[in-house]
Amino acid sequence: MTSPLFGQMMDVPLLASSLLSHAARHFGDTEIVSRRIEGDIHRYTWRDCEKRAKQLSQALIGLGVQPGERIGTLAWNGYRHLECYFGVTGMGAVCHTINPRLFPDQVAFIVNHADDEYVAFDMTFATLVDIIAPQCPNVKGWIALGDETCISTHLADMATPALSYETLIGRCDGDYPWPVLDERSASFLCYTSGTTGNPKGALYTHRSTVLHAFAASLPDAMGCSARDAILPVVPMFHVNAWGIPHAAPLVGAKLVLPGNCLDGKALYELMEAEGVTFSAGVPTVWLGLLNYMKQAGVRFNTLKRTVIGGSACPPAMLRSFEDEYGVEVIHAWGMTEMSPLGTLAKLTWRQQQLTPDEQRHLREKQGHVMFGVDMKVVGDDGQELPWDGTSFGDLHVRGPWVIDRYFRKDDSPLIDGWFPTGDVATIDADGFMHITDRSKDVIKSGGEWISSIDLENVMMSHPQVAEAACIACSHPKWTERPLVVVVLRPGATVTREELLAFYDGKVAKWWKPDDVVFADELPHTATGKLQKLRLRELYREHVLPTVDEKVV
Ligand code: AMP
């Protein structure tokens, strides 16, 4: 064997800190605007952000934090949280973003499992910190993201001693060159939402973080640019806000961070005031925004496009954004284990020649993979299924920003080198992927599979329906049959029979749900996804009206 001829290019590692340095050097005056939990609007620039992130790196070194150690954050989207992203990872430690909407016991479990040295928290989470601190004896200090005055005003009743973030970084001058780290060293740690069992940690590398930011910014992905003002509604505590805090400095975009004010009115006003052109979030928050806009009779003046993902984007929402407000919707799919972006539903030149209905139908799917991710669907026997748009099976992925294993777990989750996503999907001949279910949510009726998401989408397109969830209900003949739980809009008068009839002609006859029941609200997870497990528990005893059919 002859040795390969190596190329002669510089071996410059891909580091998260280089994203911020790039923005500070080339887009130094571009603004980062944050709605603070103190209530006011804070403005500064990428240049200021880099200086303060470096001050934080110095402060952490002063506290004795070593490269590779984890620093937890319990914080909203704001400039101090952004500084943690870069200040922690820049000096070689790992930024561990924690979802504060989880149950306190789960938060404590995550802090302990990650072995966080310090935890930085927004003052709104003081009560949560007080609850979990006694359960987390290894945490050396709790850092309140504020100054001494704020702490004495807002944290007077707090039992846990807290350090002031501003005091800590105020002692440092920011004159600190980011170290050149190995690009394979750990950068961020994010835990899955843990709808079943304990949350599991996905430990990203600097390399995966930067590659993901590159890919996410491409025109057929999120298409971020220096001409954008980006408002991530998706929280920075959930999968790094889909990589926006990394993509924004990579392209030099203005960043607008909404803090903890995520109601429709607050979001709309911030978007309008700051000239936001691009936003991203899960369907539930958009529901709030669209409802507010309808009631207030207002329109967007600057917003051009929005990425919707995290759970299936209801077709009715896509239509509402585009037809009523002229905002392009980019439906995207991904998961914590994938940093998170995997696919986006942007059309090719050829697909744009299709009829408007056909185009829309395609854009309701989860779309094409980005370069870097590969995917396949496999059947029960593990064999790859054809890309025909109808064969559905388990979706497997691989790529440089997909996990190889979970943090502190020895057994590999991979199957033949592929990561099994737990989603069930079809892929069509053009490589457009369509999620039909989570594998545990799919309805197995008489050996055939029925997509609960498709049945939910039909129901949510009914004008009197606010939200709908479809779950499997046990059936003596078919094993499982679909049951749809519906939350009606205020003042709705529609009946169960009318809602069942609404499926006629929209889905195959044998897919038609066996029953529709009404509820005041549906249970959601900490990341806004429907909690199907809880719903299945709630309706375990439900008897479908079809069970009397003669069992043959
Ligand atoms: P998480 O790791 O909390 O981001 O959850 C990832 C899971 O959310 C995926 O495996 C999917 O089940 C679901 N998901 C994310 N985006 C979509 C989407 N666009 N359509 C359907 N399901 C989605």
Side-chain angles (χ1 to χ4, degrees):
M1 272 283 276
T2 52
S3 58
L5 175 64
F6 289 110
Q8 295 171 326
M9 307 306 283
M10 292 185 192
D11 194 7
V12 177
L14 304 175
L15 300 178
S17 57
S18 65
L19 297 167
L20 180 56
S21 293
H22 172 74
R25 186 161 161 81
H26 300 283
F27 306 96
D29 294 331
T30 299
E31 270 188 316
I32 298 163
V33 180
S34 308
R35 193 194 287 277
R36 302 207 295 179
I37 54 149
E38 290 93 320
D40 57 348
I41 296 283
H42 173 273
R43 295 174 182 278
Y44 74 169
T45 64
W46 284 114
R47 191 180 297 117
D48 303 325
C49 179
E50 185 191 41
K51 177 155 189 290
R52 282 172 48 95
K54 287 184 166 185
Q55 287 173 259
L56 173 60
S57 289
Q58 291 172 307
L60 293 174
I61 292 167
L63 288 172
V65 174
Q66 299 293 317
E69 289 183 342
R70 273 77 59 201
I71 304 297
T73 63
L74 280 167
W76 299 104
N77 294 6
Y79 67 104
R80 292 186 182 114
H81 201 182
L82 191 67
E83 290 158 13
C84 292
Y85 265 48
F86 292 103
V88 172
T89 58
M91 55 74 66
V94 178
C95 181
H96 168 213
T97 53
I98 310 166
N99 186 340
R101 293 189 182 132
L102 294 170
F103 291 118
D105 280 354
Q106 275 182 317
V107 175
F109 168 86
I110 290 176
V111 169
N112 289 329
H113 189 268
D115 204 5
D116 289 332
E117 296 288 312
Y118 288 86
V119 176
F121 65 97
D122 265 336
M123 285 177 282
T124 42
F125 301 122
T127 313
L128 176 62
V129 169
D130 270 347
I131 296 171
I132 63 170
Q135 300 174 51
C136 304
N138 293 338
V139 174
K140 296 196 179 108
W142 301 85
I143 303 172
L145 293 167
D147 58 24
E148 300 286 355
T149 323
C150 274
I151 292 178
S152 53
T153 323
H154 296 289
L155 304 186
D157 298 334
M158 198 176 163
T160 317
L163 305 160
S164 153
Y165 175 84
E166 292 297 338
T167 306
L168 274 178
I169 72 165
R171 295 190 192 118
C172 306
D173 60 9
D175 183 10
Y176 169 78
W178 301 114
V180 180
L181 308 167
D182 186 322
E183 65 176 15
R184 292 163 304 174
S185 49
S187 55
F188 290 85
L189 176 60
C190 299
Y191 279 72
T192 58
S193 18
T195 38
T196 51
N198 276 325
K200 295 191 285 268
L203 184 62
Y204 309 146
T205 61
H206 280 265
R207 176 184 152 80
S208 70
T209 300
V210 174
L211 288 176
H212 179 267
F214 266 120
S217 306
L218 286 170
D220 285 336
M222 296 202 288
C224 305
S225 109
R227 288 166 296 287
D228 274 321
I230 308 179
L231 188 152
V233 184
V234 50
M236 288 167 69
F237 56 70
H238 184 218
V239 219
N240 288 182
W242 299 349
I244 289 174
H246 304 126
L250 182 143
V251 299
K254 171 176 171 177
L255 199 54
V256 183
L257 301 170
N260 60 346
C261 295
L262 300 176
D263 60 282
K265 182 170 189 285
L267 282 176
Y268 173 79
E269 286 173 358
L270 191 61
M271 282 178 172
E272 288 296 302
E274 297 303 328
V276 169
T277 56
F278 170 52
S279 189
V282 296
T284 21
V285 291
W286 295 135
L287 214 57
L289 180 69
L290 290 174
N291 281 344
Y292 166 75
M293 291 181 67
K294 205 170 224 156
Q295 274 161 19
V298 291
R299 304 190 60 78
F300 293 116
N301 287 301
T302 56
L303 188 70
K304 293 193 179 66
R305 62 192 198 289
T306 177
V307 169
I308 301 185
S311 35
C313 171
M317 179 172 286
L318 196 149
R319 276 198 299 279
S320 188
F321 262 115
E322 298 196 344
D323 299 346
E324 291 170 44
Y325 298 107
V327 174
E328 181 196 1
V329 168
I330 306 163
H331 188 196
W333 166 86
M335 59 197 313
T336 307
E337 290 88 335
M338 300 180 71
S339 310
L341 287 179
T343 65
L344 297 108
K346 286 261 192 125
L347 300 186
T348 61
W349 182 88
R350 196 171 51 75
Q351 288 168 329
Q352 283 193 317
Q353 314 312 308
L354 297 169
T355 65
D357 272 358
E358 288 168 328
Q359 290 188 38
R360 174 110 349 140
H361 184 61
L362 275 176
R363 294 179 48 247
E364 289 165 6
K365 298 185 176 193
Q366 281 72 10
H368 261 292
V369 287
M370 310 192 282
F371 167 76
V373 175
D374 196 6
M375 66 180 174
K376 64 176 181 179
V377 278
V378 300
D380 283 342
D381 56 1
Q383 293 300 309
E384 183 166 357
L385 295 172
W387 290 21
D388 56 11
T390 54
S391 310
F392 51 102
D394 293 318
L395 178 66
H396 291 191
V397 293
R398 63 180 178 191
W401 54 84
V402 179
I403 62 157
D404 183 47
R405 60 187 60 229
Y406 287 102
F407 185 51
R408 293 193 152 163
K409 278 194 172 278
D410 290 336
D411 45 332
S412 166
L414 306 191
I415 301 174
D416 297 334
W418 293 74
F419 177 77
T421 62
D423 286 327
V424 176
T426 63
I427 305 177
D428 73 12
D430 291 325
F432 248 60
M433 187 271 284
H434 180 205
I435 299 275
T436 53
D437 251 312
R438 286 295 290 166
S439 53
K440 53 187 186 310
D441 295 337
V442 77
I443 296 153
K444 296 186 176 122
S445 169
E448 298 285 344
W449 288 7
I450 298 176
S451 158
S452 66
I453 295 181
D454 283 2
L455 295 184
E456 282 158 11
N457 282 343
V458 170
M459 196 73 315
M460 283 200 273
S461 68
H462 191 286
Q464 298 196 45
V465 170
E467 208 181 359
C470 178
I471 50 170
C473 204
S474 64
H475 192 284
K477 178 175 175 185
W478 302 108
T479 315
E480 290 177 355
R481 289 294 301 162
L483 163 70
V484 180
V485 187
V486 168
V487 179
L488 291 176
R489 288 189 189 283
T493 52
V494 70
T495 63
R496 167 189 173 275
E497 288 68 28
E498 284 164 342
L499 288 181
L500 279 172
F502 192 65
Y503 280 98
D504 293 339
K506 297 191 177 74
V507 295
K509 254 198 185 124
W510 64 276
W511 276 38
K512 191 172 162 181
D514 288 34
D515 203 0
V516 166
V517 292
F518 297 103
D520 292 336
E521 58 176 7
L522 299 178
H524 290 98
T525 67
T527 50
K529 294 183 212 303
L530 274 173
Q531 228 176 356
K532 296 261 181 105
L533 196 69
R534 178 88 193 102
L535 265 182
R536 279 196 295 268
E537 275 166 22
L538 287 172
Y539 291 91
R540 203 186 0 233
E541 306 297 325
H542 185 77
V543 180
L544 291 171
T546 50
V547 295
D548 290 338
E549 282 171 12
K550 194 167 171 291
V551 178
V552 282

